Amino acid sequence: MKRPPDLVEPSHPLHPTQAFRRLPLAARPFVRLDSLAVWESDTRSLPPALGEYRRQLRRFAEEVLLPRRDDGDSNQHGSVQSEVLEAAARAGLLSDLLPRPIGTTPLRRMRHSLVFQQSLKMEELCAACAGLGLLIGAHGLGTMPLILSTDLALLRRELWPLYRANAGGRPRLLAYAITEPGGGSDVEDADGARRYKPGCVARRVPGGYRLNGRKIFISGGDLAHAVTVFGALEGEGMESWTCFLVYHDAPGFSRVRNEIKMGQRASAATELLFEEVFVPDARVVGPLRAGWALNRATLNISRVPVGAIALGIARGAFEAALGFVNRHSLAGRPLIHYQEVQLRLAQMQIDTSAMRGLLWQVSRSWAPTQTQAATVKVFCSDTAVGVCRAAMDLMANHGASYAGAVEKSYRDARLTQIYEGTNQINRLAVVEDQLEAWLALG
Amino acid sequence: MTIDIETRREIIFGVERFARDRLGPHVERPETAIGRGRFATLVADARSLGWIAGGAENPYALWASPDDAASTTTTLSALRVLARTNAGFAFALQMEALGTHLLAQLGVEPERTTQLPLFGVQGLGRGAIARWLATPQEPMRDGDHDELCDLWLGAEHTVVLAAPEVEQWLVPRFFGGEWTWQLASPLALGAIRDQRPHGLDELDWWQLGTHGDRGSCIVVPAEGSPTAATLLSTAVAAPLLAGVAIALGAIERAFEAALRYSEIRRQGGRRILEHPAVSSLLARSRAALINAEAIVESPLALEAGALERIVALALLHLPALQQAANDCLQVFGGLGYMQDAGLEKIVRDVNAICCAVAPTLSLELMLAATFGVDTGERRPKE
Ligand SMILES: Cc1cc2nc3c(=O)[nH]c(=O)nc-3n(C[C@H](O)[C@H](O)[C@H](O)COP(=O)(O)OP(=O)(O)OC[C@H]3O[C@@H](n4cnc5c(N)ncnc54)[C@H](O)[C@@H]3O)c2cc1C
């Protein structure tokens, strides 16, 4: 592609990369003589194990997800989903929350936080297709309560067989079920939960519990092999919330319907019904009444990768817009030659870089604080919607056309402002976490 | 031709009745697009009511006299009312009404249904058209000539938003240094219909490639018609105002739904309306609606010199309305994201309107061009 003639060539003596060469050698460590694409320079800035992982993920996303993006978006229950899941399973992406030999994560990568690994994964997958990315990523969410239970017997008994099947290319997915018809925000926010009368209730019976209730909007609920589902103990409130592991073939468990969604369509949002479902004691995840703690701990971890989903979508929109302005021209000049177009691209690049900067900073921690997790989630999702809107605007009618790809990015991005707690609830999570500090400073 | 207050009231009353009794039953489920056959029947009904008629003799016609403030305001009010029920329908009528009006202005008695479709590349046309309209007699800035040639049908690849089942498109084209008006049909142009557009699902989004046969277009003889500048400024400005009016109507529906929902949905121990987090979403939407309403309902003629103001209004209001639609969706939480609630369709429709009529990128350049210092090389107009 020809460069815009009115911009300084990299070979020009006034171009910074040329100009810097005239600096004394001692000054060289302070300047860059190259100008790498952001993705490349960001990848090189990562520790080697993570950099290598990011490259693998990008290859996987481009080879497996991208070619199936359109089919996934138009058909929630096509063969595309099973193809992608099988490929993801074989690539170790469905068993990567634990190190080898139980999981598929190489030990040297385990030196870095799970949050970082999951964030890298979700950005790359969702840059190709957020719907297919969610199909894979929601399984990690469903697995988190098991991991956080740190109950080795439970992990060996329940998770290991699933992980073994996954690593062998036979997908066995877990879904995460907290939302109920009467409680969406109330199951994400302590203040709401305090007042909420739980809809999903477990009754004590010999050897276990009988679970009754309904969960809605459960990502991957249609294909889940098992669900980590949260319910209150009979006669008690949300303080008694407990996590149960329910398999898809448990009598009384059924999938009522799948929603038709605005975006991220390759992954279904399913309504699940529990009618006298028997859960043996051995499938209680974590201690009794520890459900709320498991839920909030899970959210503090998973909201960061949700930020990464948003980032991936925004990057996908940016890349699609970039392709468009390189391909299309006006008055004999490619659109990318026009300053207003370059400025728009620059702003999109700046926005995605700012998202990544915050995300990677928070991702270094194994245990992000509630404030950090909510901050990443809100900032990245709001910014991503803005980037997608800017991409649509830049492409005018092409932006609204399916073929332009950015309209899908917009539809996909819009969800990140809603799930894992609406952005309003995430802001309240910051308040909840910071209020004491704010009061102390006042 | 101007219209008095009584006639205006009567027109709007008729449109409201149509929206309620004829259009309404087909969009009881707001999330589903009206089927093509039904849509065509409804448009035919609107035609039979005289809403689409060139010639300016019929005050009931949409865009009957764009140069008259009362007539323009009536058109915008009517579009707003229709869009409360279905934005796609309102948009289709406005495109056909405008095409028919312009054809009549060109002195042609339409034998076939005609519309002025929206070309994406018009949006990418930078400031050239605004500069040309501001100073049609002056020499053209270097580069503007080529940019004008690439607008509308001159574009190599473009996406065209059009109403379905309307027989021909009326499209301006800059060629050989002057403007002509051409009649085209999507099929003769080799256009391909996008099966999954982002929004305005009732309408057709055509992909127009280089392979298309631009030679199939018929040039409209324009002797004795108003100047090219007058017609062109109507063709540019009218969709901008219509976009604001239609987005406004669509979001009014979203707002009502969000308000109703917020009064019954309980979270955090009370109705969500009572949480400032939700009431501020509603308040922001309401502010955008009230501000847009002030534009749509205040007299504004599409006369020469009005372009700057109209572009400025679109630049300010359309992004605000886009945000308002999103805020209404957010009030619904997860439900808003599901097709059933109908909100996501309105968000998509408003996005599609913004893409088609007014990408901010080009509105900014257009606005700047109406007052900007022009340092480019000049060459005489051919
Ligand atoms: C596609 C999709 C996938 C999902 N996947 C899953 C999943 O896998 N598992 C799962 O369990 N859930 C899932 N969810 C549910 C999701 O987390 C909830 O939709 C979300 O938390 C919001 O809850 P709600 O939909 O009930 O909205 P509501 O809680 O009813 O919120 C409605 C509005 O009120 C506001 N609001 C509510 N309470 C308060 C308050 N106390 N203070 C201020 N404002 C308030 C909200 O911000 C929102 O604007 C999914 C949702 C969607 C849309």
Short mmCIF file of all heavy atoms in Angstrom, two decimals, chain A residues 175-226:
data_model
loop_
_atom_site.label_atom_id
_atom_site.label_comp_id
_atom_site.label_asym_id
_atom_site.label_seq_id
_atom_site.Cartn_x
_atom_site.Cartn_y
_atom_site.Cartn_z
N ALA A 175 -20.90 -24.52 33.01
CA ALA A 175 -21.51 -23.18 32.94
C ALA A 175 -21.69 -22.65 34.35
O ALA A 175 -21.72 -23.43 35.32
CB ALA A 175 -22.85 -23.24 32.22
N TYR A 176 -21.81 -21.35 34.44
CA TYR A 176 -21.86 -20.66 35.74
C TYR A 176 -23.25 -20.05 35.89
O TYR A 176 -23.65 -19.22 35.06
CB TYR A 176 -20.80 -19.58 35.73
CG TYR A 176 -20.61 -18.81 37.01
CD1 TYR A 176 -19.96 -19.38 38.10
CD2 TYR A 176 -21.01 -17.48 37.11
CE1 TYR A 176 -19.74 -18.66 39.26
CE2 TYR A 176 -20.79 -16.75 38.27
CZ TYR A 176 -20.15 -17.35 39.34
OH TYR A 176 -19.92 -16.62 40.48
N ALA A 177 -23.98 -20.43 36.92
CA ALA A 177 -25.38 -20.00 36.99
C ALA A 177 -25.69 -19.30 38.31
O ALA A 177 -25.86 -19.95 39.35
CB ALA A 177 -26.30 -21.20 36.80
N ILE A 178 -25.73 -17.97 38.23
CA ILE A 178 -26.17 -17.21 39.41
C ILE A 178 -27.47 -16.45 39.14
O ILE A 178 -28.31 -16.30 40.01
CB ILE A 178 -25.08 -16.23 39.92
CG1 ILE A 178 -24.62 -15.28 38.81
CG2 ILE A 178 -23.90 -16.98 40.50
CD1 ILE A 178 -23.71 -14.15 39.31
N THR A 179 -27.65 -15.95 37.91
CA THR A 179 -28.77 -15.04 37.64
C THR A 179 -30.11 -15.77 37.68
O THR A 179 -30.25 -16.86 37.12
CB THR A 179 -28.57 -14.39 36.25
OG1 THR A 179 -27.28 -13.79 36.23
CG2 THR A 179 -29.62 -13.32 35.99
N GLU A 180 -31.08 -15.13 38.31
CA GLU A 180 -32.43 -15.70 38.42
C GLU A 180 -33.41 -14.67 37.86
O GLU A 180 -33.08 -13.48 37.78
CB GLU A 180 -32.76 -15.95 39.89
CG GLU A 180 -31.70 -16.80 40.58
CD GLU A 180 -32.01 -17.10 42.05
OE1 GLU A 180 -32.91 -16.44 42.62
OE2 GLU A 180 -31.36 -18.00 42.59
N PRO A 181 -34.63 -15.08 37.52
CA PRO A 181 -35.58 -14.10 37.00
C PRO A 181 -35.76 -12.92 37.97
O PRO A 181 -35.83 -11.77 37.55
CB PRO A 181 -36.88 -14.90 36.86
CG PRO A 181 -36.43 -16.31 36.70
CD PRO A 181 -35.17 -16.45 37.49
N GLY A 182 -35.77 -13.20 39.26
CA GLY A 182 -36.00 -12.12 40.23
C GLY A 182 -34.73 -11.43 40.67
O GLY A 182 -34.78 -10.42 41.38
N GLY A 183 -33.58 -11.96 40.31
CA GLY A 183 -32.34 -11.39 40.81
C GLY A 183 -31.21 -11.46 39.81
O GLY A 183 -30.67 -12.54 39.55
N GLY A 184 -30.88 -10.32 39.21
CA GLY A 184 -29.71 -10.21 38.33
C GLY A 184 -28.65 -9.41 39.06
O GLY A 184 -27.65 -9.96 39.53
N SER A 185 -28.94 -8.13 39.24
CA SER A 185 -28.01 -7.28 40.00
C SER A 185 -27.95 -7.73 41.45
O SER A 185 -26.90 -7.65 42.09
CB SER A 185 -28.46 -5.83 39.92
OG SER A 185 -28.41 -5.40 38.58
N ASP A 186 -29.07 -8.22 41.95
CA ASP A 186 -29.11 -8.59 43.37
C ASP A 186 -28.20 -9.77 43.69
O ASP A 186 -27.88 -9.99 44.86
CB ASP A 186 -30.55 -8.92 43.79
CG ASP A 186 -31.35 -7.65 44.07
OD1 ASP A 186 -30.76 -6.55 43.97
OD2 ASP A 186 -32.55 -7.76 44.40
N VAL A 187 -27.82 -10.54 42.69
CA VAL A 187 -26.90 -11.63 42.99
C VAL A 187 -25.45 -11.24 42.66
O VAL A 187 -24.55 -12.07 42.68
CB VAL A 187 -27.29 -12.95 42.26
CG1 VAL A 187 -28.67 -13.40 42.70
CG2 VAL A 187 -27.26 -12.78 40.74
N GLU A 188 -25.25 -9.96 42.35
CA GLU A 188 -23.89 -9.48 42.08
C GLU A 188 -23.47 -8.43 43.10
O GLU A 188 -22.30 -8.04 43.14
CB GLU A 188 -23.85 -8.81 40.68
CG GLU A 188 -24.32 -9.68 39.54
CD GLU A 188 -23.20 -10.07 38.60
OE1 GLU A 188 -22.05 -9.71 38.86
OE2 GLU A 188 -23.50 -10.77 37.62
N ASP A 189 -24.41 -7.92 43.87
CA ASP A 189 -24.17 -6.75 44.69
C ASP A 189 -24.64 -7.02 46.11
O ASP A 189 -25.78 -7.46 46.31
CB ASP A 189 -24.97 -5.59 44.05
CG ASP A 189 -25.07 -4.37 44.94
OD1 ASP A 189 -24.01 -3.83 45.29
OD2 ASP A 189 -26.20 -3.98 45.28
N ALA A 190 -23.77 -6.79 47.09
CA ALA A 190 -24.09 -7.17 48.48
C ALA A 190 -25.32 -6.45 49.00
O ALA A 190 -26.15 -7.03 49.70
CB ALA A 190 -22.89 -6.88 49.38
N ASP A 191 -25.44 -5.19 48.62
CA ASP A 191 -26.56 -4.41 49.13
C ASP A 191 -27.88 -4.98 48.63
O ASP A 191 -28.86 -5.09 49.38
CB ASP A 191 -26.37 -2.96 48.66
CG ASP A 191 -27.17 -2.02 49.51
OD1 ASP A 191 -27.14 -2.19 50.75
OD2 ASP A 191 -27.84 -1.14 48.93
N GLY A 192 -27.89 -5.35 47.35
CA GLY A 192 -29.09 -5.96 46.78
C GLY A 192 -29.33 -7.34 47.37
O GLY A 192 -30.46 -7.70 47.72
N ALA A 193 -28.25 -8.09 47.51
CA ALA A 193 -28.37 -9.47 48.00
C ALA A 193 -28.96 -9.50 49.41
O ALA A 193 -29.75 -10.38 49.76
CB ALA A 193 -27.00 -10.14 47.99
N ARG A 194 -28.58 -8.49 50.21
CA ARG A 194 -29.07 -8.41 51.59
C ARG A 194 -30.60 -8.38 51.63
O ARG A 194 -31.23 -8.88 52.53
CB ARG A 194 -28.50 -7.13 52.20
CG ARG A 194 -28.74 -6.97 53.68
CD ARG A 194 -27.88 -5.86 54.18
NE ARG A 194 -28.09 -4.65 53.40
CZ ARG A 194 -27.97 -3.42 53.88
NH1 ARG A 194 -27.64 -3.26 55.13
NH2 ARG A 194 -28.15 -2.37 53.12
N ARG A 195 -31.18 -7.77 50.57
CA ARG A 195 -32.64 -7.62 50.56
C ARG A 195 -33.33 -8.67 49.69
O ARG A 195 -34.55 -8.71 49.61
CB ARG A 195 -33.01 -6.24 50.01
CG ARG A 195 -32.49 -5.11 50.86
CD ARG A 195 -32.86 -3.79 50.20
NE ARG A 195 -32.59 -2.68 51.09
CZ ARG A 195 -31.43 -2.04 51.14
NH1 ARG A 195 -30.44 -2.40 50.35
NH2 ARG A 195 -31.24 -1.04 51.97
N TYR A 196 -32.55 -9.47 49.02
CA TYR A 196 -33.13 -10.37 48.00
C TYR A 196 -33.60 -11.69 48.61
O TYR A 196 -32.90 -12.29 49.42
CB TYR A 196 -32.08 -10.63 46.91
CG TYR A 196 -32.56 -11.52 45.79
CD1 TYR A 196 -33.69 -11.17 45.04
CD2 TYR A 196 -31.92 -12.72 45.50
CE1 TYR A 196 -34.15 -11.99 44.03
CE2 TYR A 196 -32.38 -13.55 44.48
CZ TYR A 196 -33.49 -13.17 43.75
OH TYR A 196 -33.95 -13.98 42.75
N LYS A 197 -34.79 -12.11 48.15
CA LYS A 197 -35.29 -13.42 48.57
C LYS A 197 -34.91 -14.42 47.48
O LYS A 197 -35.41 -14.32 46.35
CB LYS A 197 -36.81 -13.35 48.71
CG LYS A 197 -37.42 -14.61 49.27
CD LYS A 197 -38.89 -14.34 49.66
CE LYS A 197 -39.58 -15.59 50.15
NZ LYS A 197 -39.75 -16.62 49.12
N PRO A 198 -33.99 -15.32 47.79
CA PRO A 198 -33.46 -16.19 46.73
C PRO A 198 -34.55 -17.00 46.03
O PRO A 198 -35.48 -17.49 46.68
CB PRO A 198 -32.51 -17.12 47.48
CG PRO A 198 -32.24 -16.46 48.79
CD PRO A 198 -33.43 -15.62 49.11
N GLY A 199 -34.40 -17.14 44.72
CA GLY A 199 -35.39 -17.90 43.95
C GLY A 199 -35.00 -19.35 43.81
O GLY A 199 -35.84 -20.22 43.59
N CYS A 200 -33.74 -19.63 43.92
CA CYS A 200 -33.25 -21.01 43.75
C CYS A 200 -32.92 -21.53 45.15
O CYS A 200 -32.07 -20.97 45.85
CB CYS A 200 -32.03 -20.99 42.85
SG CYS A 200 -31.73 -22.56 42.07
N VAL A 201 -33.58 -22.60 45.55
CA VAL A 201 -33.50 -23.03 46.95
C VAL A 201 -33.15 -24.52 47.04
O VAL A 201 -33.68 -25.33 46.28
CB VAL A 201 -34.85 -22.74 47.66
CG1 VAL A 201 -34.87 -23.31 49.07
CG2 VAL A 201 -35.12 -21.24 47.70
N ALA A 202 -32.28 -24.85 48.00
CA ALA A 202 -31.88 -26.25 48.21
C ALA A 202 -32.46 -26.76 49.53
O ALA A 202 -32.29 -26.14 50.57
CB ALA A 202 -30.37 -26.34 48.24
N ARG A 203 -33.13 -27.90 49.42
CA ARG A 203 -33.74 -28.50 50.63
C ARG A 203 -32.90 -29.70 51.06
O ARG A 203 -32.50 -30.52 50.23
CB ARG A 203 -35.17 -28.95 50.27
CG ARG A 203 -35.99 -29.35 51.47
CD ARG A 203 -37.43 -29.70 51.07
NE ARG A 203 -37.52 -30.99 50.41
CZ ARG A 203 -37.78 -31.19 49.12
NH1 ARG A 203 -37.98 -30.16 48.31
NH2 ARG A 203 -37.83 -32.41 48.61
N ARG A 204 -32.64 -29.77 52.34
CA ARG A 204 -31.82 -30.88 52.86
C ARG A 204 -32.59 -32.18 52.76
O ARG A 204 -33.77 -32.23 53.16
CB ARG A 204 -31.45 -30.59 54.33
CG ARG A 204 -30.47 -31.60 54.91
CD ARG A 204 -29.06 -31.29 54.42
NE ARG A 204 -28.09 -32.23 54.93
CZ ARG A 204 -27.23 -32.92 54.17
NH1 ARG A 204 -27.21 -32.78 52.87
NH2 ARG A 204 -26.36 -33.73 54.72
N VAL A 205 -31.98 -33.21 52.23
CA VAL A 205 -32.58 -34.56 52.20
C VAL A 205 -31.45 -35.53 52.56
O VAL A 205 -30.27 -35.14 52.51
CB VAL A 205 -33.17 -34.89 50.80
CG1 VAL A 205 -34.39 -34.05 50.49
CG2 VAL A 205 -32.13 -34.77 49.71
N PRO A 206 -31.78 -36.74 52.87
CA PRO A 206 -30.69 -37.66 53.21
C PRO A 206 -29.67 -37.78 52.08
O PRO A 206 -30.04 -37.95 50.93
CB PRO A 206 -31.42 -39.00 53.43
CG PRO A 206 -32.82 -38.60 53.78
CD PRO A 206 -33.10 -37.34 53.03
N GLY A 207 -28.42 -37.58 52.41
CA GLY A 207 -27.33 -37.75 51.44
C GLY A 207 -27.08 -36.56 50.55
O GLY A 207 -26.19 -36.59 49.70
N GLY A 208 -27.87 -35.51 50.71
CA GLY A 208 -27.63 -34.37 49.83
C GLY A 208 -28.71 -33.32 49.90
O GLY A 208 -29.31 -33.08 50.96
N TYR A 209 -28.99 -32.71 48.73
CA TYR A 209 -29.96 -31.61 48.67
C TYR A 209 -30.87 -31.78 47.46
O TYR A 209 -30.47 -32.39 46.46
CB TYR A 209 -29.21 -30.26 48.55
CG TYR A 209 -28.47 -29.91 49.82
CD1 TYR A 209 -27.19 -30.43 50.05
CD2 TYR A 209 -29.06 -29.12 50.80
CE1 TYR A 209 -26.52 -30.15 51.22
CE2 TYR A 209 -28.38 -28.83 51.98
CZ TYR A 209 -27.12 -29.34 52.19
OH TYR A 209 -26.46 -29.07 53.36
N ARG A 210 -32.08 -31.26 47.61
CA ARG A 210 -32.98 -31.19 46.45
C ARG A 210 -33.04 -29.73 46.03
O ARG A 210 -33.40 -28.86 46.84
CB ARG A 210 -34.40 -31.64 46.82
CG ARG A 210 -34.52 -33.13 47.06
CD ARG A 210 -34.90 -33.87 45.78
NE ARG A 210 -34.83 -35.30 46.01
CZ ARG A 210 -34.60 -36.19 45.05
NH1 ARG A 210 -34.43 -35.79 43.81
NH2 ARG A 210 -34.55 -37.47 45.32
N LEU A 211 -32.69 -29.47 44.80
CA LEU A 211 -32.59 -28.09 44.32
C LEU A 211 -33.81 -27.75 43.46
O LEU A 211 -34.18 -28.51 42.56
CB LEU A 211 -31.32 -27.99 43.47
CG LEU A 211 -30.76 -26.61 43.14
CD1 LEU A 211 -30.44 -25.82 44.40
CD2 LEU A 211 -29.50 -26.75 42.30
N ASN A 212 -34.40 -26.59 43.74
CA ASN A 212 -35.54 -26.12 42.95
C ASN A 212 -35.32 -24.66 42.58
O ASN A 212 -34.89 -23.87 43.42
CB ASN A 212 -36.85 -26.22 43.76
CG ASN A 212 -37.36 -27.64 43.80
OD1 ASN A 212 -37.88 -28.16 42.81
ND2 ASN A 212 -37.17 -28.29 44.95
N GLY A 213 -35.65 -24.33 41.36
CA GLY A 213 -35.54 -22.92 40.95
C GLY A 213 -35.19 -22.79 39.48
O GLY A 213 -35.14 -23.78 38.73
N ARG A 214 -34.94 -21.58 39.11
CA ARG A 214 -34.75 -21.26 37.70
C ARG A 214 -33.56 -20.31 37.57
O ARG A 214 -33.42 -19.39 38.38
CB ARG A 214 -36.02 -20.53 37.25
CG ARG A 214 -36.37 -20.60 35.81
CD ARG A 214 -37.68 -19.86 35.62
NE ARG A 214 -38.84 -20.71 35.84
CZ ARG A 214 -39.41 -21.45 34.89
NH1 ARG A 214 -38.95 -21.42 33.66
NH2 ARG A 214 -40.46 -22.20 35.16
N LYS A 215 -32.74 -20.54 36.61
CA LYS A 215 -31.62 -19.62 36.33
C LYS A 215 -31.77 -19.14 34.89
O LYS A 215 -32.15 -19.94 34.02
CB LYS A 215 -30.28 -20.33 36.52
CG LYS A 215 -30.00 -20.78 37.96
CD LYS A 215 -29.62 -19.62 38.85
CE LYS A 215 -29.40 -20.07 40.29
NZ LYS A 215 -29.08 -18.94 41.19
N ILE A 216 -31.48 -17.88 34.66
CA ILE A 216 -31.66 -17.37 33.28
C ILE A 216 -30.38 -16.77 32.74
O ILE A 216 -29.47 -16.42 33.49
CB ILE A 216 -32.80 -16.32 33.21
CG1 ILE A 216 -32.56 -15.16 34.18
CG2 ILE A 216 -34.15 -16.98 33.47
CD1 ILE A 216 -33.52 -13.98 33.97
N PHE A 217 -30.37 -16.64 31.42
CA PHE A 217 -29.26 -16.00 30.67
C PHE A 217 -27.93 -16.72 30.90
O PHE A 217 -26.88 -16.07 30.95
CB PHE A 217 -29.08 -14.54 31.07
CG PHE A 217 -30.31 -13.66 30.98
CD1 PHE A 217 -30.38 -12.48 31.71
CD2 PHE A 217 -31.37 -13.99 30.16
CE1 PHE A 217 -31.50 -11.65 31.63
CE2 PHE A 217 -32.50 -13.16 30.06
CZ PHE A 217 -32.56 -12.00 30.81
N ILE A 218 -27.93 -18.02 31.04
CA ILE A 218 -26.68 -18.71 31.39
C ILE A 218 -25.86 -19.00 30.14
O ILE A 218 -26.25 -19.81 29.28
CB ILE A 218 -26.98 -20.01 32.18
CG1 ILE A 218 -27.88 -19.70 33.39
CG2 ILE A 218 -25.67 -20.69 32.60
CD1 ILE A 218 -27.38 -18.57 34.30
N SER A 219 -24.71 -18.37 30.05
CA SER A 219 -23.86 -18.53 28.86
C SER A 219 -23.37 -19.97 28.78
O SER A 219 -22.85 -20.51 29.77
CB SER A 219 -22.64 -17.61 28.94
OG SER A 219 -23.06 -16.28 28.96
N GLY A 220 -23.54 -20.55 27.62
CA GLY A 220 -23.10 -21.92 27.41
C GLY A 220 -23.98 -22.94 28.11
O GLY A 220 -23.67 -24.13 28.14
N GLY A 221 -25.11 -22.48 28.66
CA GLY A 221 -26.00 -23.41 29.37
C GLY A 221 -26.57 -24.48 28.45
O GLY A 221 -26.92 -25.58 28.89
N ASP A 222 -26.65 -24.18 27.17
CA ASP A 222 -27.21 -25.15 26.22
C ASP A 222 -26.32 -26.37 26.03
O ASP A 222 -26.79 -27.48 25.85
CB ASP A 222 -27.46 -24.47 24.86
CG ASP A 222 -26.19 -23.88 24.26
OD1 ASP A 222 -25.24 -23.57 25.04
OD2 ASP A 222 -26.11 -23.72 23.03
N LEU A 223 -25.01 -26.15 26.07
CA LEU A 223 -24.08 -27.24 25.78
C LEU A 223 -23.39 -27.78 27.02
O LEU A 223 -22.61 -28.73 26.93
CB LEU A 223 -23.00 -26.75 24.80
CG LEU A 223 -23.47 -26.24 23.43
CD1 LEU A 223 -22.31 -25.66 22.64
CD2 LEU A 223 -24.12 -27.37 22.65
N ALA A 224 -23.69 -27.15 28.16
CA ALA A 224 -22.92 -27.49 29.36
C ALA A 224 -23.10 -28.96 29.75
O ALA A 224 -24.21 -29.48 29.77
CB ALA A 224 -23.35 -26.59 30.51
N HIS A 225 -21.98 -29.55 30.10
CA HIS A 225 -21.99 -30.91 30.61
C HIS A 225 -22.42 -30.87 32.09
O HIS A 225 -23.07 -31.78 32.58
CB HIS A 225 -20.59 -31.50 30.48
CG HIS A 225 -20.50 -32.95 30.82
ND1 HIS A 225 -21.03 -33.93 30.02
CD2 HIS A 225 -19.95 -33.58 31.89
CE1 HIS A 225 -20.80 -35.10 30.57
NE2 HIS A 225 -20.15 -34.92 31.72
N ALA A 226 -22.06 -29.78 32.73
CA ALA A 226 -22.44 -29.58 34.14
C ALA A 226 -22.50 -28.09 34.42
O ALA A 226 -21.94 -27.29 33.67
CB ALA A 226 -21.42 -30.25 35.06
#
